[in-house]
Amino acid sequence: MILTVTPNPAIDLTYRVAALDPGETHRVGAPSARAGGKGLNVARVIAQTGGAAFALTTAGGAPGLRLADDLEAAGLPSELVPVSAPTRSSVAIVDEGSGVTTIFNETGGALSPAEWTALGEAVERLAVPATAIVGSGSLPPGAPDSFYADLVEVARRRGVPCVIDATGLPLLAAAEAGADVLKPNRRELADTVGVDDPVDGARALLAAGARLVLVSLGADGMLAVSETDVSAARLPQPLTGNATGAGDAAVAAVATALASGITDPVTLVRRATAWSAAAVVGPLAGELDPAYPEYEARLVLS
């Protein structure tokens, strides 16, 4: 069982328009709405690909009830820690003409000290049967910067791998704690370490203590940077679609591989890139194109 931890979930609302014209009024149909947040998307992908995932997250207010109902309807095993702050929303506007998706992410509400304690206790309890632990997504305001580093420590005590997808001080703290894999995108990495070159930025996280860094490069694919090598994978031609959740699919691929004992960086970056690409073609975040097993054979490696 792969445990995914999402401290700042959201109700994902996806609108589709024929063409997005800034400053103008658009008439749209009802949005698709589902429980979202990076870790929940990771859990959905793991389940779709035949793995076992358990999603730990928070839920607050009426949106939190909606989130709980959606997870139950999806049949996704989960535990929700009740919090006072209403669960936030994330809005994606898909321009079907250009293939570009614009995303508006609410910040989310702060958790109380007691709520952070309850979440931490749930992590400790649910880590016992876990074969890997994933920490993904933004942290709500006032969160301890050590939250993801603490996840790494829990995984280390249990003897299981840990994958962290974050940015800023929480990402750096996870590196210093010795995370097995970090998975920022190019912008998150640059914002965290202050280095624009993704290879140099990844090496800064390795120097801090991380064991492997995968860097999403958008249409340019993905890098895997270890202490001894740099590997890259991409499709021959960029795909059009909704890139929301593509990074989460990559995390799901890595966590699944690590949980089964696969640690080779080239194998990890191949699977992560393939699943990420299949997520772009998928209809919603947390879903892959059903033909995802075929994507890996099309990759260009270097």
Side-chain angles (χ1 to χ4, degrees), residues 5 13 15 26 46 48-49 97 109 128 137 139 154 160 177 194 203 212 214 216 218 221 239 244 251 267 286 292:
V5 183
L13 304 173
Y15 292 88
H26 301 73
I46 292 171
Q48 180 188 347
T49 54
V128 174
L139 297 177
V154 171
V160 298
R203 285 174 172 156
L212 178 67
L214 296 185
S216 297
L239 298 173
T244 308
V251 171
T267 302
Y292 72 90

Side-chain angles (χ1 to χ4, degrees), residues 228-270:
T228 59
D229 199 11
V230 178
S231 303
R234 62 176 176 82
L235 286 175
Q237 299 293 331
L239 298 173
T240 58
N242 182 1
T244 308
D248 305 329
V251 171
V254 172
T256 300
L258 291 176
S260 63
I262 298 171
T263 59
D264 172 55
V266 175
T267 302
L268 294 178
V269 76
R270 284 175 63 100

Side-chain angles (χ1 to χ4, degrees), residues 56-69:
L56 173 63
T57 188
T58 62
L65 295 176
R66 188 177 189 181
L67 182 140
D69 288 343

Side-chain angles (χ1 to χ4, degrees), residues 6-23:
T6 311
N8 199 22
I11 298 296
D12 284 347
L13 304 173
T14 302
Y15 292 88
R16 296 181 177 275
V17 297
L20 181 61
D21 190 0

